[in-house]
């Protein structure tokens, strides 16, 4: 999701375990000196500085980064959403919500496996999502009829040492929700570290509304003091043995009607979870309005980074420039065509984008900018030339690239020119913000 | 907000008080046979069927519709929103959030007065909002430093029999939030009826997250059973004397740190509030994401009703048709120009809209549709003619009217024509859904 500028190092953080300080490293999006996950090496093999004596080695073992897996119950029916599609499969910018959540977990390099529990009827849908959006490290298990049963099924898959399973029992397991797509690496790390120390940990948030208890006749019995209570949110993390033991011990009533994993750890393993303050972004997509909010938040993520590429016959080193551009997490391209034939540069950019995988996860907006100097070419003629953008746009739309044209009127009058440019900038901002497929292939005029 | 298709009759509902049944009347947006509010007559003077004997008259008096006022504390700073503007003044489609809430209360004909508590520094802002959006029946009082103190100030204004005040002490007072703009008449009526019977009443919602209590060391102490608790939402309603007494009796601690009016009524007047299940729409705009959600919900309200006006020299009875159109709550107009000169009909519609007050509360979208038959007029020439839409759009934008053009290519080939029309419909849908000022004056092509 564009990624946070801060990255967290699990190993370094664990070494500072006593004070729970987090070491934040700016900028980098790869995890060089933290505990290497399976995808880039063997677990736990990161070289330690210097040779260790036995006592040191034991102390080091206590401090070493735990192996971590994540469990995502996704068997819900989404009845509160008021739509037939379960909420985790509702599309945001044409991609299912759960894919955003998977992406948020996948980009955390120290989460080794992600086990998703889905109902039998949605198993194929889920497999398609994994394939289409190229998710990695995902294992699927069948969901149970309640959330707790789904989590239990996922934990069993991690616990059992099945011959054909690529899953291994982790030291710490994160439990998250499929419908909380904006979870950040920082809070995941915080709950994992706290779980390693306390056995269990969970994110909390202040209450927005006062909580009350009704009497049997539907009247107010008592209200709770808001400041003394918190909403229990996700993610939560547990020592695997603690939460697995709790699920094995717990009653059918708990599995049917319980809502809180932290409560199971407390009740059956006497483990008091550490509570970690989370950010507002942890909220759970529950109602239809939450889908609207999630879509606006995701659209807002794109607004900050835009590549503006000005091309002309003289200045053009297009290919190298473009290679550079698409290495960065940028989903907006403004291609200003100067002195080249109408769509030459735009076409080059589109070819490059089509070859890359950039538009798999998010729609990429490309705005092809052209100038109209009425003195040299009549307006109508220029428009007719530029109308080929419609066919071009139709073609690249299939690859999730949203192409629009912008014709900037270029008068001699300085004030009028400024007005044109100001309006052009406003149109570009609108197209980037809205990312609306309905406007694909249009030629807007500033 | 487009209005619900169901309207509620307070008097009829109160007559069925014992069972709390609500009488819903379909369609009508005026309140003919319910208790007439100040704006259309004297309170309580609605004629009753037949002459009454004394006993009947006394029984009738017990059942009669109560006088109702509403209190809106709006002194909050909006710190959770993470923006400098207090959330109740944040714009949605360029109009402050609180104006939507005022509108939701105003359209309920049996709420006589609305008292809004705002801080001294926002008093002028609030006066401007009232004037600009033509709100009626609003009185302003100065907010206190906490929500409870603001409500108390508003109640004092209703209680005091000041010589110059146009306020009268109501029998029942509704307390609502400035940041819950989607409150419906139905739930307002339910809490008022329940308050008349029980002394106090409030809307509740199921909990989305489990509520827990942390111990002093930041660990889980206990978690509450989610099914046995509810979130206390707004609106709430009280017999005026009950809640005013509670505020007069309550401690400074309550006024500083309390969050729940129902609790005050319970603690100081031993009044157990009736709890009424509310809809998800009652949620409180708290975080920035809630503003996004609110904007999407409001935009969604417009999508359903669109007037399509096809004009031609032969068929045109424009003025009468248009008069009819703007009497209905419609904010989308598609003006299909056939056989008239380019903008003749669109201009007529715009003149009519400008004379009406339709665009005071919501942006009105007008799409001027034109057809291009390349055989009779060359493309470039048609485009040049139609470019005058830019100036037209700039002018009407000042009146909150968003004008766009749509040129539909009209080929002989039947399949291509269908494709053009399909694309035209998609563009119209996009423009109506997005209501984006950034696209004003554009000429889109299908």
């Amino acid at each position: 999701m564009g990624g946070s500028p801060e990255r967290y190092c699990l190993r370094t953080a664990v070494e500072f375990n006593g004070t729970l300080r987090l070491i934040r490293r700016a900028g980098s999006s790869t995890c060089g000196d933290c505990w290497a996950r399976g995808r880039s090496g063997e677990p736990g093999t990161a070289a330690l500085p210097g040779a260790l004596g036995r006592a040191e080695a034991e102390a080091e073992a206590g401090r070493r980064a735990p192996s971590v897996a994540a469990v995502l119950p996704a068997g819900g029916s989404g009845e509160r959403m008021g739509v037939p599609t379960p909420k985790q499969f509702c599309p945001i910018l044409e991609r299912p919500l759960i894919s955003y959540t998977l992406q948020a977990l996948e980009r955390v390099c120290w989460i080794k496996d992600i086990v998703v529990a889905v109902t039998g009827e949605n198993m194929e849908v889920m497999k398609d999502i994994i394939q289409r959006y190229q998710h990695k490290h995902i294992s699927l298990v069948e969901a149970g009829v309640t959330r707790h049963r789904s989590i239990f099924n996922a934990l069993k898959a991690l616990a059992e040492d099945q011959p054909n399973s690529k899953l291994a029992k982790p030291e710490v397991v994160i439990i998250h929700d499929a419908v909380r797509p904006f979870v950040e690496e920082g809070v995941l790390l915080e709950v994992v570290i706290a779980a390693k120390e306390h056995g269990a940990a969970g994110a909390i948030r202040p209450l927005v509304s006062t909580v009350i208890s009704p009497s049997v006749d539907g009247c107010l019995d008592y209200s709770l003091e808001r400041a003394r209570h918190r909403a229990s949110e996700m993610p939560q993390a547990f020592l695997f043995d603690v939460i697995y033991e709790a699920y094995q011990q717990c009653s059918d009533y708990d599995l049917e009607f319980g809502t809180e994993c932290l409560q199971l750890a407390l009740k059956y393993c006497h483990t008091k979870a550490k509570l970690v303050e989370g950010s507002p972004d942890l909220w759970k997509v529950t109602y239809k309005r939450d889908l609207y909010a999630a879509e606006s938040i995701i659209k807002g993520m794109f607004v900050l980074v835009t590549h503006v590429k000005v091309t002309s016959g003289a200045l053009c080193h297009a290919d190298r420039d473009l290679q550079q551009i698409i290495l960065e997490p940028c989903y907006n391209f403004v291609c200003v065509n100067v002195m080249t034939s109408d769509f030459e540069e735009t076409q080059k950019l589109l070819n490059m984008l089509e070859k890359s995988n950039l538009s798999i996860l998010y729609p990429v907006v490309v705005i092809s900018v052209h100038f109209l100097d009425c003195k040299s070419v009549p307006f109508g003629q220029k428009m007719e030339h530029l109308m080929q953008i419609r066919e071009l746009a139709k073609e690249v739309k299939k690859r999730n690239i949203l192409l629009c044209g912008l014709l900037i009127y270029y008068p001699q009058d300085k004030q009028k020119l400024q007005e044109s440019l100001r309006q052009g900038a406003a149109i570009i901002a609108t197209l980037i913000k809205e990312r609306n497929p309905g406007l694909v292939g249009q030629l807007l005029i500033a």
Side-chain angles (χ1 to χ4, degrees), chain A:
Chain A
M1 255 151 295
S4 136
E6 294 170 329
R7 298 282 301 180
Y8 298 84
C9 172
L10 184 59
R11 182 170 156 253
T12 325
V14 172
E15 286 173 357
F16 282 89
N17 210 348
T19 54
L20 277 183
R21 264 194 295 151
L22 298 179
I23 310 305
R24 300 180 181 205
R25 299 187 304 117
S28 160
S29 67
T30 54
C31 191
D33 58 353
C34 84
W35 175 74
R37 74 179 276 169
R39 69 177 83 160
S40 55
E42 287 299 300
T45 56
L48 294 169
L52 296 174
R54 185 174 172 156
E56 281 169 309
E58 276 172 4
E60 180 55 39
R63 287 198 303 263
R64 81 181 193 287
S67 60
V68 182
V71 160
L72 216 54
S77 66
E79 59 202 28
R80 277 185 289 195
M81 189 75 83
V83 291
T85 309
K87 56 192 169 181
Q88 62 274 26
F89 298 119
C90 286
I92 296 183
L93 297 180
E94 302 185 2
R95 177 153 70 102
L97 181 57
I98 194 171
S99 170
Y100 293 89
T101 312
L102 290 176
Q103 188 195 351
L105 294 175
E106 274 179 334
R107 64 185 175 154
V108 177
C109 65
W110 44 264
I111 297 177
K112 192 162 166 268
D113 294 303
I114 301 164
V115 184
V116 184
V118 281
T119 59
E121 66 182 347
N122 285 317
M123 198 59 85
E124 286 308 309
V125 174
M126 194 64 226
K127 283 180 185 166
D128 285 349
I129 291 169
I130 290 170
Q131 192 184 15
R132 181 161 182 195
Y133 301 105
Q134 304 186 1
H135 292 300
K136 304 274 187 282
H137 314 281
I138 315 286
S139 299
L140 298 181
V141 298
E142 185 137 345
V145 290
T146 64
R147 184 170 182 276
H148 270 334
R149 289 194 190 277
S150 294
I151 294 170
F152 195 13
N153 287 354
L155 294 176
K156 279 181 199 160
L158 284 165
E160 284 166 10
D161 208 8
Q162 291 176 342
N164 293 327
S165 171
K166 58 181 175 61
L167 295 175
K169 194 184 95 170
E171 189 179 348
V172 173
V173 63
I174 293 168
I175 299 178
H176 192 57
D177 275 334
V179 291
R180 300 190 197 244
F182 302 111
V183 62
E184 290 279 354
E185 187 172 0
V187 72
L188 290 165
L189 182 58
E190 281 190 77
V191 293
V192 165
I193 292 171
K196 192 167 151 64
E197 190 179 341
H198 296 265
I204 54 170
R205 287 283 306 152
L207 293 174
V208 169
S209 305
T210 301
V211 173
I212 54 129
S213 176
S215 55
V216 281
D217 62 349
C219 288
L220 175 69
D221 196 10
Y222 58 88
S223 78
L224 299 174
E225 210 174 315
R226 203 198 288 181
R228 295 208 179 160
H229 292 82
R230 295 285 183 278
S232 173
E233 307 288 345
M234 292 278 151
Q236 297 176 346
F238 301 86
L239 285 176
F240 185 84
D241 293 337
V242 166
I243 193 66
Y244 194 48
E245 172 76 12
Y247 271 99
Q248 283 174 312
Q249 297 290 328
C250 80
S251 66
D252 274 348
Y253 183 88
D254 284 321
L255 288 175
E256 288 300 314
F257 303 106
T259 56
E260 184 51 75
C261 303
L262 301 182
Q263 181 63 23
L264 294 186
L266 180 64
K267 188 170 169 189
Y268 294 102
C269 298
H270 311 291
T271 300
K272 281 201 158 195
K274 181 72 184 173
L275 304 174
V276 171
E277 282 287 345
S279 75
D281 294 341
L282 287 180
W283 110 104
K284 183 168 157 188
V285 174
T286 307
Y287 299 106
K288 203 162 186 181
R289 67 167 185 263
D290 294 316
L291 277 183
Y292 297 146
E295 178 163 322
S296 295
I297 289 171
I298 291 167
K299 282 181 176 175
M301 287 171 174
F302 299 117
V303 175
L304 295 176
V305 191
T306 301
H307 266 296
V308 178
K309 179 156 184 57
V310 182
T311 65
S312 71
L315 292 170
C316 188
H317 313 279
D319 287 5
R320 219 187 50 202
D321 286 4
L322 288 174
Q323 290 283 13
Q324 196 60 37
I325 281 170
I326 62 179
L327 284 177
E328 297 168 35
C330 175
Y331 295 88
N332 310 313
F333 297 87
V334 179
C335 191
V336 184
N337 295 268
V338 187
M339 295 175 64
T340 57
S341 71
D342 288 341
F343 288 102
E344 194 182 322
E345 291 306 322
T346 301
Q347 186 68 67
K348 273 186 193 166
L349 173 64
L350 292 172
N351 291 347
M352 198 69 81
L353 288 172
E354 283 197 283
K355 274 184 217 152
S356 82
N357 283 332
L358 193 70
S359 58
I360 287 179
L361 292 181
Y362 301 105
V364 171
V365 171
V366 176
I367 302 164
S368 184
V369 180
H370 308 264
F371 290 92
L372 173 65
D373 174 2
C374 286
K375 283 201 172 162
S376 33
V377 190
F379 173 79
Q381 191 184 325
K382 183 80 177 172
M383 283 296 285
E384 265 182 277
H385 284 170
L386 293 177
M387 285 317 288
Q388 58 172 292
I389 195 169
R390 299 178 68 187
E391 292 310 312
L392 210 54
K394 204 189 276 181
E395 204 47 49
V396 295
K397 172 71 183 72
K398 295 174 192 159
R399 297 286 302 262
N400 210 17
I401 296 170
L402 311 179
L403 173 65
C404 283
L406 173 61
L407 180 61
I408 296 181
Y409 179 61
Y410 197 84
Q412 296 298 319
D413 179 319
K414 204 174 162 187
Q415 203 180 342
K416 277 188 184 165
L417 173 60
Q418 279 194 333
E419 173 59 18
S420 277
L421 293 174
R422 195 201 52 74
Q423 211 196 331
I427 291 170
I428 288 171
T430 295
L431 293 173
I432 286 172
K433 185 172 163 245
E434 299 293 351
R435 312 187 92 70
N436 197 314
L439 296 175
V440 150
Q442 292 300 324
L443 185 62
L444 305 174
I445 298 172

